[in-house]
Amino acid sequence: MKLLYSNIGDVYVVRSMNLVILFQDDFISDCQVRLTGRRLEHIRNIYRAKVGDTLRVGLLNEMMGHGIITDSDEHEIEMEVVLDQPPPHKLPLTLIVALPRPKVLNRVIASATSLGVARIVLFNAWKVEKSYWKSPRLDEANLLHQRILGLEQASDTVLPDLQLARFFTPFLQNQLPRLVSQSICLVAHPNAIKPCPTDLQEPCTLVLGPEGGFIPDEISALEKIGFLTVSLGSRILRTETALPALVGRLYSG
Ligand code: SAH
Protein backbone atom coordinates (compact mmCIF):
# COMPACT_ATOMS: atom_id res chain seq x y z
CA MET A 1 0.00 0.00 0.00
CA LYS A 2 2.80 2.39 0.84
CA LEU A 3 4.49 1.72 -2.47
CA LEU A 4 1.36 2.55 -4.48
CA TYR A 5 0.85 5.66 -2.49
CA SER A 6 4.44 6.88 -2.78
CA ASN A 7 4.54 6.28 -6.54
CA ILE A 8 1.50 8.45 -7.08
CA GLY A 9 2.40 10.79 -4.29
CA ASP A 10 5.71 11.79 -5.80
CA VAL A 11 3.91 13.14 -8.85
CA TYR A 12 1.67 15.64 -7.08
CA VAL A 13 2.56 18.21 -4.47
CA VAL A 14 -0.44 19.08 -2.36
CA ARG A 15 -0.58 22.16 -0.23
CA SER A 16 -3.11 21.17 2.37
CA MET A 17 -1.74 18.48 4.61
CA ASN A 18 -3.15 19.20 8.05
CA LEU A 19 -2.10 15.79 9.25
CA VAL A 20 0.71 13.58 7.95
CA ILE A 21 -0.65 10.11 7.22
CA LEU A 22 1.75 7.35 8.29
CA PHE A 23 1.87 3.75 7.07
CA GLN A 24 3.02 0.67 8.95
CA ASP A 25 6.03 0.48 6.61
CA ASP A 26 7.24 3.93 7.75
CA PHE A 27 8.09 2.61 11.24
CA ILE A 28 11.76 1.90 11.91
CA SER A 29 11.08 1.21 15.60
CA ASP A 30 8.01 1.21 17.88
CA CYS A 31 7.75 4.98 17.93
CA GLN A 32 10.06 6.20 15.14
CA VAL A 33 9.18 6.75 11.51
CA ARG A 34 11.25 7.59 8.46
CA LEU A 35 9.54 9.46 5.61
CA THR A 36 10.60 10.09 2.00
CA GLY A 37 8.93 11.24 -1.23
CA ARG A 38 5.89 13.50 -1.25
CA ARG A 39 5.55 13.76 2.52
CA LEU A 40 9.24 14.63 2.95
CA GLU A 41 8.90 17.35 0.29
CA HIS A 42 5.76 18.72 1.86
CA ILE A 43 7.25 18.81 5.35
CA ARG A 44 10.45 20.48 4.14
CA ASN A 45 9.12 22.83 1.45
CA ILE A 46 5.61 23.74 2.56
CA TYR A 47 5.75 23.41 6.35
CA ARG A 48 9.44 24.42 6.32
CA ALA A 49 9.69 22.24 9.42
CA LYS A 50 13.07 21.53 11.01
CA VAL A 51 14.53 19.28 13.69
CA GLY A 52 12.65 19.82 16.96
CA ASP A 53 9.37 20.90 15.30
CA THR A 54 6.15 19.05 16.08
CA LEU A 55 3.66 17.95 13.41
CA ARG A 56 0.24 16.33 13.59
CA VAL A 57 0.43 12.72 12.40
CA GLY A 58 -1.89 9.73 12.19
CA LEU A 59 -1.44 6.08 11.29
CA LEU A 60 -3.69 5.01 8.41
CA ASN A 61 -6.90 3.49 9.81
CA GLU A 62 -5.51 3.85 13.35
CA MET A 63 -4.84 6.47 16.03
CA MET A 64 -3.63 10.02 15.54
CA GLY A 65 -1.21 12.13 17.57
CA HIS A 66 1.98 14.11 17.02
CA GLY A 67 5.49 13.61 15.71
CA ILE A 68 8.66 15.47 16.69
CA ILE A 69 11.27 15.75 13.94
CA THR A 70 14.49 14.16 15.18
CA ASP A 71 16.53 14.12 11.96
CA SER A 72 16.15 15.63 8.49
CA ASP A 73 18.06 15.92 5.22
CA GLU A 74 17.05 16.19 1.56
CA HIS A 75 16.49 12.42 1.25
CA GLU A 76 14.50 11.56 4.38
CA ILE A 77 13.06 12.81 7.61
CA GLU A 78 12.79 10.98 10.93
CA MET A 79 10.21 11.62 13.61
CA GLU A 80 9.42 10.29 17.04
CA VAL A 81 5.69 9.79 17.15
CA VAL A 82 3.06 9.51 19.86
CA LEU A 83 -0.32 8.16 18.71
CA ASP A 84 -2.75 8.84 21.54
CA GLN A 85 -5.93 10.26 20.00
CA PRO A 86 -8.79 8.53 18.22
CA PRO A 87 -9.69 9.73 14.73
CA PRO A 88 -12.92 11.76 14.37
CA HIS A 89 -16.23 9.97 13.87
CA LYS A 90 -17.41 9.38 10.34
CA LEU A 91 -20.84 10.56 9.22
CA PRO A 92 -23.22 7.59 8.94
CA LEU A 93 -23.52 8.41 5.27
CA THR A 94 -23.18 6.23 2.18
CA LEU A 95 -22.65 8.35 -0.90
CA ILE A 96 -23.65 6.74 -4.19
CA VAL A 97 -22.48 8.98 -6.98
CA ALA A 98 -22.72 8.55 -10.74
CA LEU A 99 -19.17 8.27 -12.04
CA PRO A 100 -18.10 11.87 -12.76
CA ARG A 101 -15.78 12.89 -15.59
CA PRO A 102 -12.17 12.00 -14.71
CA LYS A 103 -11.17 15.59 -13.93
CA VAL A 104 -13.96 15.91 -11.38
CA LEU A 105 -13.58 12.40 -9.97
CA ASN A 106 -10.49 13.24 -7.90
CA ARG A 107 -12.14 16.27 -6.31
CA VAL A 108 -15.32 14.35 -5.50
CA ILE A 109 -13.44 11.48 -3.85
CA ALA A 110 -11.12 13.77 -1.86
CA SER A 111 -13.90 16.07 -0.69
CA ALA A 112 -16.30 13.24 0.21
CA THR A 113 -13.46 11.83 2.32
CA SER A 114 -12.78 15.21 3.96
CA LEU A 115 -16.47 15.61 4.72
CA GLY A 116 -16.41 12.33 6.66
CA VAL A 117 -18.50 10.16 4.33
CA ALA A 118 -18.20 6.56 5.58
CA ARG A 119 -18.70 4.81 2.26
CA ILE A 120 -18.50 5.90 -1.37
CA VAL A 121 -19.96 3.98 -4.31
CA LEU A 122 -19.30 5.09 -7.89
CA PHE A 123 -22.08 3.80 -10.12
CA ASN A 124 -22.95 3.76 -13.78
CA ALA A 125 -25.95 5.87 -14.75
CA TRP A 126 -27.41 6.12 -18.26
CA LYS A 127 -25.79 9.50 -18.88
CA VAL A 128 -22.32 8.54 -17.66
CA GLU A 129 -19.98 8.51 -20.67
CA LYS A 130 -18.77 4.95 -21.14
CA SER A 131 -15.19 6.17 -21.68
CA TYR A 132 -15.07 7.44 -18.08
CA TRP A 133 -14.87 3.83 -16.90
CA LYS A 134 -11.55 3.44 -18.75
CA SER A 135 -9.91 6.39 -17.03
CA PRO A 136 -6.61 5.66 -15.24
CA ARG A 137 -8.02 7.77 -12.41
CA LEU A 138 -10.11 4.73 -11.51
CA ASP A 139 -6.92 2.77 -10.75
CA GLU A 140 -6.76 1.52 -7.21
CA ALA A 141 -3.64 3.59 -6.55
CA ASN A 142 -5.29 6.85 -7.56
CA LEU A 143 -8.50 6.13 -5.66
CA LEU A 144 -6.41 5.43 -2.58
CA HIS A 145 -4.33 8.57 -3.12
CA GLN A 146 -7.39 10.82 -3.42
CA ARG A 147 -8.82 9.44 -0.19
CA ILE A 148 -5.46 9.94 1.54
CA LEU A 149 -5.49 13.59 0.38
CA GLY A 150 -8.98 13.95 1.83
CA LEU A 151 -7.84 12.46 5.15
CA GLU A 152 -4.77 14.72 5.30
CA GLN A 153 -6.96 17.75 4.62
CA ALA A 154 -9.53 16.93 7.30
CA SER A 155 -7.18 15.42 9.93
CA ASP A 156 -8.64 11.95 9.87
CA THR A 157 -6.98 8.55 9.46
CA VAL A 158 -9.80 6.20 8.50
CA LEU A 159 -10.28 5.50 4.80
CA PRO A 160 -13.88 5.51 3.64
CA ASP A 161 -14.89 2.27 1.89
CA LEU A 162 -14.97 2.64 -1.86
CA GLN A 163 -16.85 0.48 -4.32
CA LEU A 164 -17.30 0.60 -8.09
CA ALA A 165 -20.74 -0.45 -9.33
CA ARG A 166 -20.12 -0.71 -13.05
CA PHE A 167 -23.57 -2.14 -13.77
CA PHE A 168 -26.54 -0.21 -12.44
CA THR A 169 -29.28 -2.84 -12.62
CA PRO A 170 -27.59 -5.59 -10.54
CA PHE A 171 -26.42 -2.93 -8.10
CA LEU A 172 -29.97 -1.62 -7.79
CA GLN A 173 -31.49 -5.06 -7.43
CA ASN A 174 -28.91 -6.79 -5.26
CA GLN A 175 -27.37 -4.14 -3.03
CA LEU A 176 -29.65 -1.13 -2.71
CA PRO A 177 -32.67 -2.87 -1.12
CA ARG A 178 -30.49 -3.82 1.88
CA LEU A 179 -29.50 -0.16 2.36
CA VAL A 180 -33.15 0.91 2.18
CA SER A 181 -33.94 -1.23 5.21
CA GLN A 182 -31.00 0.22 7.18
CA SER A 183 -30.99 3.95 6.37
CA ILE A 184 -32.89 6.95 5.08
CA CYS A 185 -32.50 6.70 1.31
CA LEU A 186 -32.47 9.86 -0.77
CA VAL A 187 -31.90 10.76 -4.41
CA ALA A 188 -30.71 14.33 -4.97
CA HIS A 189 -32.54 15.73 -7.98
CA PRO A 190 -33.02 19.40 -8.87
CA ASN A 191 -36.60 18.77 -10.07
CA ALA A 192 -37.78 17.06 -6.89
CA ILE A 193 -40.67 18.66 -5.04
CA LYS A 194 -39.57 17.69 -1.53
CA PRO A 195 -36.73 19.70 0.00
CA CYS A 196 -33.66 17.85 1.23
CA PRO A 197 -34.14 17.07 4.96
CA THR A 198 -31.90 18.62 7.61
CA ASP A 199 -30.27 17.57 10.89
CA LEU A 200 -30.46 13.80 10.43
CA GLN A 201 -29.42 11.70 13.40
CA GLU A 202 -29.73 8.39 11.60
CA PRO A 203 -27.77 6.72 8.78
CA CYS A 204 -28.47 7.96 5.28
CA THR A 205 -27.82 6.71 1.77
CA LEU A 206 -27.60 9.54 -0.74
CA VAL A 207 -27.57 9.12 -4.53
CA LEU A 208 -26.16 11.86 -6.78
CA GLY A 209 -26.68 11.83 -10.50
CA PRO A 210 -24.37 12.38 -13.48
CA GLU A 211 -23.59 15.69 -15.15
CA GLY A 212 -26.45 15.18 -17.61
CA GLY A 213 -28.84 14.28 -14.78
CA PHE A 214 -30.91 11.16 -14.21
CA ILE A 215 -33.26 9.75 -16.81
CA PRO A 216 -36.88 9.30 -15.59
CA ASP A 217 -36.51 5.48 -15.54
CA GLU A 218 -33.61 5.73 -13.07
CA ILE A 219 -35.58 7.99 -10.75
CA SER A 220 -38.60 5.69 -10.85
CA ALA A 221 -36.47 2.54 -10.32
CA LEU A 222 -34.93 4.14 -7.23
CA GLU A 223 -38.31 5.38 -5.96
CA LYS A 224 -39.76 1.92 -6.46
CA ILE A 225 -37.30 0.39 -3.98
CA GLY A 226 -37.93 3.13 -1.41
CA PHE A 227 -35.70 6.11 -2.27
CA LEU A 228 -37.14 9.59 -1.74
CA THR A 229 -36.30 12.23 -4.34
CA VAL A 230 -35.22 15.52 -2.74
CA SER A 231 -33.97 18.88 -3.95
CA LEU A 232 -31.74 21.70 -2.79
CA GLY A 233 -33.80 24.17 -4.81
CA SER A 234 -34.11 25.12 -8.44
CA ARG A 235 -30.46 26.06 -8.96
CA ILE A 236 -28.74 23.25 -10.79
CA LEU A 237 -25.38 22.65 -9.20
CA ARG A 238 -22.33 20.73 -10.30
CA THR A 239 -21.84 17.42 -8.52
CA GLU A 240 -18.84 18.78 -6.61
CA THR A 241 -20.92 21.77 -5.44
CA ALA A 242 -24.08 19.79 -4.70
CA LEU A 243 -22.14 17.26 -2.59
CA PRO A 244 -20.93 19.55 0.25
CA ALA A 245 -24.23 21.49 0.17
CA LEU A 246 -26.18 18.24 0.64
CA VAL A 247 -23.89 16.83 3.33
CA GLY A 248 -23.90 20.15 5.25
CA ARG A 249 -27.66 20.17 5.15
CA LEU A 250 -28.21 16.52 6.06
CA TYR A 251 -25.76 16.54 9.00
CA SER A 252 -25.63 20.17 10.00
CA GLY A 253 -25.19 19.23 13.67
N1 SAH B 1 -28.67 18.70 -15.93
C1 SAH B 1 -28.81 17.88 -14.77
C2 SAH B 1 -27.91 18.40 -13.69
C3 SAH B 1 -27.11 17.39 -13.06
S1 SAH B 1 -26.10 18.01 -11.81
C4 SAH B 1 -30.25 17.83 -14.27
O1 SAH B 1 -31.01 18.72 -14.64
O2 SAH B 1 -30.63 16.95 -13.53
C5 SAH B 1 -25.45 16.54 -11.13
C6 SAH B 1 -26.17 16.03 -9.91
O3 SAH B 1 -26.01 16.95 -8.82
C7 SAH B 1 -27.69 15.88 -10.03
O4 SAH B 1 -28.06 14.68 -10.69
C8 SAH B 1 -28.10 15.87 -8.56
O5 SAH B 1 -27.88 14.61 -7.96
C9 SAH B 1 -27.15 16.90 -7.96
N2 SAH B 1 -27.78 18.23 -7.95
C10 SAH B 1 -27.43 19.33 -8.66
N3 SAH B 1 -28.21 20.37 -8.35
C11 SAH B 1 -29.09 19.93 -7.42
C12 SAH B 1 -30.18 20.52 -6.71
N4 SAH B 1 -30.52 21.79 -6.89
N5 SAH B 1 -30.88 19.76 -5.85
C13 SAH B 1 -30.55 18.47 -5.64
N6 SAH B 1 -29.54 17.85 -6.29
C14 SAH B 1 -28.81 18.57 -7.16
Side-chain angles (χ1 to χ4, degrees):
M1 182 176 277
K2 183 186 168 209
L3 185 68
L4 291 174
Y5 173 52
S6 302
N7 283 348
I8 288 281
D10 290 343
V11 176
Y12 305 107
V13 174
V14 180
R15 286 164 196 275
S16 49
M17 192 192 281
N18 295 309
L19 172 124
V20 180
I21 292 282
L22 306 175
F23 302 86
Q24 295 288 0
D25 293 2
D26 295 325
F27 282 81
I28 50 174
S29 78
D30 277 358
C31 57
Q32 271 184 306
V33 292
R34 184 177 293 148
L35 308 183
T36 56
R38 184 180 70 91
R39 291 167 299 165
L40 164 73
E41 275 170 33
H42 195 95
I43 292 168
R44 283 174 62 90
N45 303 334
I46 311 291
Y47 286 165
R48 299 197 183 285
K50 47 191 187 323
V51 170
D53 286 353
T54 302
L55 305 177
R56 281 169 65 78
V57 299
L59 178 58
L60 188 66
N61 291 324
E62 301 284 342
M63 298 282 276
M64 330 196 305
H66 67 270
I68 299 173
I69 300 176
T70 52
D71 203 358
S72 162
D73 62 28
E74 69 262 39
H75 304 296
E76 56 190 39
I77 203 159
E78 285 186 11
M79 282 194 282
E80 209 151 291
V81 301
V82 178
L83 300 174
D84 55 0
Q85 293 156 31
H89 292 295
K90 290 276 188 236
L91 298 175
L93 176 61
T94 296
L95 173 72
I96 301 178
V97 56
L99 181 65
R101 71 169 77 189
K103 231 172 131 182
V104 177
L105 173 68
N106 283 356
R107 292 202 290 272
V108 168
I109 300 290
S111 47
T113 304
S114 293
L115 287 161
V117 170
R119 182 167 175 231
I120 304 166
V121 182
L122 298 168
F123 79 100
N124 189 40
W126 183 257
K127 290 191 182 168
V128 168
E129 290 238 4
K130 300 295 162 266
S131 62
Y132 294 176
W133 287 99
K134 297 201 177 108
S135 166
R137 293 195 185 196
L138 280 177
D139 290 353
E140 207 183 311
N142 181 57
L143 294 175
L144 173 63
H145 183 60
Q146 298 310 320
R147 285 177 291 161
I148 299 269
L149 295 181
L151 294 177
E152 289 174 344
Q153 168 66 46
S155 281
D156 187 1
T157 60
V158 182
L159 283 173
D161 290 341
L162 195 140
Q163 186 197 335
L164 306 185
R166 176 74 180 82
F167 300 101
F168 181 66
T169 306
F171 176 61
L172 180 99
Q173 289 172 349
N174 304 334
Q175 294 193 41
L176 288 185
R178 189 170 38 85
L179 294 173
V180 175
S181 66
Q182 294 168 353
S183 61
I184 296 189
C185 288
L186 306 173
V187 185
H189 189 39
N191 300 341
I193 293 161
K194 287 210 164 65
C196 175
T198 57
D199 295 325
L200 295 187
Q201 305 299 325
E202 52 280 271
C204 175
T205 301
L206 174 68
V207 182
L208 261 84
E211 223 167 275
F214 291 106
I215 57 168
D217 277 0
E218 288 168 334
I219 295 286
S220 53
L222 287 162
E223 284 179 341
K224 216 177 264 171
I225 59 167
F227 277 76
L228 183 68
T229 308
V230 296
S231 172
L232 282 174
S234 61
R235 288 174 193 275
I236 298 177
L237 307 171
R238 290 182 173 175
T239 309
E240 68 263 43
T241 310
L243 169 63
L246 287 158
V247 174
R249 202 176 151 104
L250 291 170
Y251 291 104
S252 50

